[in-house]
Amino acid sequence: MRRHVGASIVLLGLVAAALTVVLAMSGGTTGSSDGNAAEGKDGATSGGPTGPARSDTELGWGFTHTQYSADSGLPDAVVRARKLLAGQPMPQDQAIMGWGAGNPEPSPGRYDFGDLDRRIAFIRSTGSTPVITLCCAPDWMKGGKPGEQNTDWSLKSFESAPLPTHYQDFADLAATVAKRYPDVRHFVVWNEFKGFFDDSSQRWNYEGYTRLYNLVYDEVKKVNRDNQVGGPYLVMDSYGPQDKQFASDLKGPWGSVDQRVLDAFRYWNAHKKGADFVAVDGAGFTRDNQMLPDPFTALDKFTDVGRWLRKESGGLPLWWSEYYVEPESSGWGEDRRVAAQAAAMIAMVRGGATTGFYWSPQQTTAQCAGCLWNATQLPDGGTPLPMYGLISRFAKEFPPGTRYASLGSTAEDIPDLRVLASDRTVLVVNTLDHATRARVDGQSFPMTAYEVRWLNR
């Protein structure tokens, strides 16, 4: 997770205190100390399936849980949020450490899965497909001291990679996680190459990451060959045309992807033991927050990068584990924010993606740009917000396997419409800051500024 507007900025130095408060509010458990499935204090089974496991490699459109989510808060609000999410089950991702989960293995062989148990149980309770991101690593794997009291949540420590001598230990932890949640079939290895940038050579240590990935791949597959494993979760950073230092041939009006990122992907792709899907992260703006040549055309980056990844990987299913459309200090309103998200999802589909996870920015307060539901810490919590309406409808109307249709569309200024159609549904997005009139699929209708409209065919 990078610091984008709309992303949940995790204050890692306060995580330990925040978790204590969250657990007190939710009645969470501390989990089993041996890593096996166990019954928590609230009587809920912390490990084990509650329904048939889903082993598809294409999951559709969902979101990632971050520091604050709907698994804790006022009881009535939590119930509302659960019913909301159960109404349109979507894949939901959770990391094993950080973003709402404490240290899973504070000391070698001593486990604390209380937070992760609670999150996975919540996902299961909504009838959704759980996905686990295998990041980040306990302190003792990074050269720190063992023990829960020694967990260092500072950003520098948290974003450190395991030392090479502990790669196997991390792979063993991944296997323990896979055993604990036998109905979870989807595992993403690490997050954004955290800790794998070599400052001395100014490039990614893709050899180290690939070694870690391969060890994790082997151990998770040993637990169950049907487990789906993917990576490399690289950030597809781009630069404007004026920046030539890291320019690459993967480019467009939006800029060019950092050549060092492409080098890292190609090494992983050539040396991986295997992969069931490709997972990446990216933004529609450049490293210095430029949206080129304009905020909506810039989102074509998701299409161009997606096509490149599909070609390079030999057609592996493509996941966007994170995607961002809004630069820092944008000043956007929610209507424009939702329109940009819709346009980005259309661009990802056109690039061949079949899975995408919205990085949930949930907070505990009423003011939360881009949130999916009202915070469950509030009396009216758990009620849907506009972004939830978009993502849940997109997941419903364009599930994996959708056959997309070509159709004629005209408007006063056709480049300012984004359209995606199946044989039963059409999504139309007005990217203008003023009203326009659209003629799409034989229908003519007015559209307000930044309107997102669904048509039945």
Side-chain angles (χ1 to χ4, degrees):
M1 186 279 301
R2 294 179 295 169
R3 293 175 180 79
H4 302 308
V5 173
S8 175
I9 300 175
V10 182
L11 301 178
L12 294 170
L14 301 178
V15 166
L19 287 174
T20 300
V21 174
V22 169
L23 287 171
M25 295 176 66
S26 63
T29 70
T30 57
S32 166
S33 63
D34 62 2
N36 295 318
E39 187 175 276
K41 294 177 182 178
D42 59 358
T45 302
S46 57
T50 56
R54 179 178 175 183
S55 57
D56 316 45
T57 53
E58 301 178 343
L59 298 183
W61 307 91
F63 65 93
T64 295
H65 291 272
T66 54
Q67 182 63 33
Y68 303 106
S69 196
D71 57 315
S72 63
L74 299 176
D76 288 347
V78 171
V79 169
R80 280 193 294 271
R82 183 180 290 112
K83 288 182 178 178
L84 175 69
L85 294 172
Q88 175 54 55
M90 297 181 285
Q92 299 174 35
D93 183 27
Q94 173 63 46
I96 64 171
M97 180 175 176
W99 302 289
N103 190 334
E105 191 179 3
S107 300
R110 298 292 299 176
Y111 302 96
D112 185 348
F113 288 112
D115 298 322
L116 191 55
D117 284 348
R118 188 182 67 255
R119 283 283 170 90
I120 297 299
F122 180 82
I123 295 170
R124 288 169 173 157
S125 74
T126 67
S128 302
T129 300
V131 176
I132 290 179
T133 292
L134 298 167
C135 185
C136 290
D139 297 66
W140 60 272
M141 296 185 191
K142 302 176 293 190
K145 296 179 180 179
E148 180 64 41
Q149 70 280 7
N150 294 316
T151 299
D152 183 353
W153 290 104
S154 66
L155 195 65
K156 180 179 180 181
S157 174
F158 178 73
E159 294 192 344
S160 295
L163 297 174
T165 53
H166 289 293
Y167 285 177
Q168 185 60 54
D169 291 319
F170 185 80
D172 292 341
L173 172 59
T176 299
V177 169
K179 291 174 184 176
R180 186 172 185 83
Y181 310 107
D183 56 329
V184 177
R185 285 285 177 272
H186 301 87
F187 299 88
V188 185
V189 182
W190 209 241
N191 173 295
E192 295 186 332
F193 261 49
K194 283 180 168 59
F196 283 99
F197 190 76
D198 187 334
D199 289 318
S200 61
S201 61
Q202 285 295 294
R203 74 170 181 88
W204 293 105
N205 175 17
Y206 40 75
E207 299 93 343
Y209 169 81
T210 303
R211 181 184 164 199
L212 175 70
Y213 174 91
N214 285 337
L215 290 170
V216 171
Y217 179 89
D218 283 343
E219 296 301 330
V220 173
K221 288 287 189 178
K222 285 177 185 176
V223 173
N224 191 321
R225 294 303 302 175
D226 289 334
N227 285 340
Q228 308 293 300
V229 183
Y233 207 150
L234 276 162
V235 183
M236 306 305 290
D237 279 328
S238 57
Y239 293 87
Q242 75 285 352
D243 193 325
K244 305 296 185 182
Q245 184 177 7
F246 304 118
S248 71
D249 290 335
L250 178 50
K251 59 186 177 181
W254 42 265
S256 70
V257 174
D258 189 329
Q259 181 63 51
R260 298 170 298 179
V261 173
L262 304 187
D263 293 342
F265 181 87
R266 283 174 165 146
Y267 182 92
W268 170 82
N269 192 44
H271 295 87
K272 65 185 185 302
K273 286 283 188 73
D276 298 294
F277 56 88
V278 167
V280 294
D281 169 357
F285 42 87
T286 64
R287 287 277 296 183
D288 55 358
N289 288 329
Q290 296 182 81
M291 299 202 77
L292 303 171
D294 62 75
F296 282 92
T297 306
L299 302 177
D300 291 342
K301 173 184 174 180
F302 291 110
T303 300
D304 296 340
V305 171
R307 289 171 177 168
W308 184 90
L309 290 165
R310 291 274 292 166
K311 181 179 179 181
E312 288 287 320
S313 68
L316 283 175
L318 174 58
W319 293 19
W320 285 95
S321 290
E322 299 177 42
Y323 56 94
Y324 300 97
V325 303
E326 183 179 1
E328 297 280 0
S329 304
S330 69
W332 292 2
E334 198 70 7
D335 55 349
R336 181 171 181 176
R337 184 174 294 113
V338 171
Q341 287 287 337
M345 295 171 83
I346 291 172
M348 285 186 279
V349 166
R350 290 175 174 168
T354 50
T355 304
F357 292 91
Y358 178 70
W359 188 270
S360 174
Q362 292 300 140
Q363 298 294 326
T364 59
T365 58
Q367 298 299 317
C368 185
C371 278
L372 298 173
W373 55 81
N374 286 315
T376 48
Q377 289 74 20
L378 303 175
D380 66 342
T383 54
L385 293 172
M387 192 64 76
Y388 175 82
L390 168 67
I391 294 174
S392 61
R393 184 74 183 269
F394 200 99
K396 177 183 177 181
E397 301 293 353
F398 303 123
T402 296
R403 295 182 62 182
Y404 294 99
S406 297
L407 48 83
S409 62
T410 60
E412 293 176 355
D413 189 0
I414 191 167
D416 297 312
L417 285 186
R418 298 291 184 274
V419 181
L420 185 65
S422 69
D423 59 358
R424 64 177 187 176
T425 305
V426 182
L427 170 61
V428 186
V429 182
N430 177 19
T431 68
L432 294 169
D433 62 359
H434 57 79
T436 188
R437 187 164 192 87
R439 291 193 299 275
V440 178
D441 201 30
Q443 301 182 54
S444 178
F445 49 88
M447 297 189 75
T448 59
Y450 302 125
E451 182 180 352
V452 174
R453 180 174 297 203
W454 297 90
L455 307 175
N456 294 321
R457 303 191 72 189

